[in-house]
Amino acid sequence: MSAQPQLVSPLQLLERRPDMGAKALARVLGNYLRALREAAGVSPAQAGERIRGHASKISRMETAHVSLKLRDVDDLLALYGVAEQERAEIAFLVQRSAKPEWWQPYGEVVPDWLQGLIGLERDAHVIRTYETQFVPGLLQTPSYAQAVVRSGHRLASPEEVERRVELRLERQRRMAEPGAPVLWALIDEGVLHRPVGGPAVMREQLEYLLMVLRQPGVRLQIASWSASAAATPGSAVTYLRFAQGFLPDVVYLEHMTSAMYLDRLEELDKYRAALDELSALAATPVESRVLLEEALKRYK
């Protein structure tokens, strides 16, 4: 079983990661508030009463599903017996967690359920992803990304399609910065046979994946049909793994109009085990190169 991260003050974590995003900081603060509440022996219902709310509001605050308000946080810290100096430090961090994220200028094409993923992925230590339909978004070429966006948003205007592609490419750019997470991508073999955008687009995309295989920050494996038949998480999945003591891991499952975020230990263990088994059965990076080269011949 995986273990919960050790409790570290949000200020200490910020000192380690001064570039921490607002979404990650909000989750850090939520985890810390939960740890303080439990250490004080206060129930969610009791905490909710203190801030003129219900237990469900406390749960949403502790899981970063709502924005933290200074008054609520200060009232809770007083209830938990936190000293004035630490309360002032946490108040500063609450204000920082409310700052606009880099992606907010793209707000018109970022639904609420996607904001968590975009806000957290840059702060992860490792991003593991398994895709069954398309090349992972963080590895798509501009032309391939445009074809994928058009297929999923058939009524969107050309301007909206372009904005969605721009956002995807900006996410990729940030993954190439120093300190960015390692990307470990498992791609189902069927993706190589699906002519998204036509032969020219697929040729460019496969050539890009062949180049990606040489990059040190990326591990790419093709899951053959036999491998994915023997072991699979059941659908596309993104697993965000954070450094020890930073944040609990998160599993992201996307649907057509919504998404799920899982962080319970038993759920994380099952998805990690499924990804481990599939990666053990999938082609190695060297074998994956052969599969990509064979697929590329079909689009010449």
Side-chain angles (χ1 to χ4, degrees):
M1 295 286 289
S2 57
Q4 287 279 16
Q6 297 176 345
L7 181 62
V8 181
S9 79
L11 197 60
Q12 288 176 307
L13 285 175
L14 190 60
E15 289 171 353
R16 295 183 198 170
R17 292 289 302 270
D19 60 343
M20 188 191 310
K23 189 65 177 179
L25 180 56
R27 284 179 60 86
V28 167
L29 287 167
N31 288 337
Y32 196 62
L33 287 173
R34 179 172 56 194
L36 291 172
R37 176 179 59 75
E38 292 174 346
V42 177
S43 70
Q46 291 170 322
E49 287 181 11
R50 183 60 176 260
I51 61 171
R52 303 152 296 281
H54 301 283
S56 60
K57 181 176 180 179
I58 298 299
S59 176
R60 292 195 298 273
M61 291 174 64
E62 293 176 350
T63 55
H65 285 116
V66 294
S67 299
L68 296 175
K69 296 181 179 178
L70 274 175
R71 177 183 173 184
D72 288 344
V73 172
D74 195 57
D75 286 347
L76 290 175
L77 294 177
L79 176 63
Y80 304 156
V82 177
E84 284 288 341
Q85 181 177 348
E86 186 175 359
R87 285 163 61 180
E89 292 173 352
I90 293 177
F92 163 75
L93 297 177
V94 169
Q95 291 177 309
R96 175 163 174 160
S97 73
K99 287 187 175 181
E101 293 270 28
W102 68 263
W103 47 262
Q104 290 190 343
Y106 296 93
E108 77 279 8
V109 295
V110 183
D112 292 344
W113 46 266
L114 183 59
Q115 294 176 10
L117 176 67
I118 297 177
L120 289 173
E121 62 187 6
R122 181 58 179 77
D123 289 297
H125 179 60
V126 177
I127 299 177
R128 300 182 67 176
T129 181
Y130 170 55
E131 286 291 343
T132 60
Q133 298 293 320
F134 303 110
V135 170
L138 294 176
L139 294 176
Q140 293 177 2
T141 63
S143 297
Y144 187 97
Q146 190 171 73
V148 171
V149 170
R150 282 176 176 159
S151 70
H153 302 274
R154 303 189 69 82
L155 301 180
S157 67
E159 292 76 19
E160 180 183 339
V161 170
E162 197 58 38
R163 287 290 283 170
R164 290 181 181 276
V165 173
E166 286 176 7
L167 172 62
R168 192 162 300 185
L169 297 179
E170 179 61 19
R171 288 167 64 191
Q172 291 181 15
R173 189 192 68 77
R174 290 173 180 272
M175 290 298 112
E177 294 175 343
V182 171
L183 178 60
W184 186 352
L186 280 163
I187 303 176
D188 191 90
E189 185 176 2
V191 171
L192 309 185
H193 296 265
R194 189 169 292 109
V196 174
V201 171
M202 283 300 298
R203 184 166 58 250
E204 179 187 48
Q205 178 64 71
L206 293 175
E207 288 173 344
Y208 178 69
L209 291 180
L210 284 166
M211 183 186 72
V212 162
L213 277 169
R214 297 193 294 269
Q215 295 181 0
V218 179
R219 179 179 175 85
L220 175 62
Q221 291 180 270
I222 305 301
S224 67
W225 281 308
S226 59
S228 57
T232 175
S235 62
V237 58
T238 298
Y239 190 114
L240 303 177
R241 182 130 218 193
F242 296 91
Q244 180 66 27
F246 183 49
L247 277 174
D249 297 347
V250 176
V251 165
Y252 173 81
L253 304 174
E254 185 171 307
H255 310 297
M256 190 171 193
T257 58
S258 64
M260 292 177 60
Y261 292 83
L262 309 177
D263 59 8
R264 293 171 56 190
L265 291 179
E266 57 268 28
E267 295 171 329
L268 295 174
D269 286 337
K270 289 178 181 177
Y271 276 96
R272 189 171 59 256
L275 289 172
D276 286 346
E277 184 176 5
L278 183 57
S279 63
L281 294 172
T284 65
V286 173
E287 295 166 341
S288 295
R289 173 174 293 280
V290 174
L291 290 172
L292 287 168
E293 289 172 344
E294 290 176 351
L296 184 58
K297 294 175 183 176
R298 293 193 293 272
Y299 299 105
K300 291 294 187 181

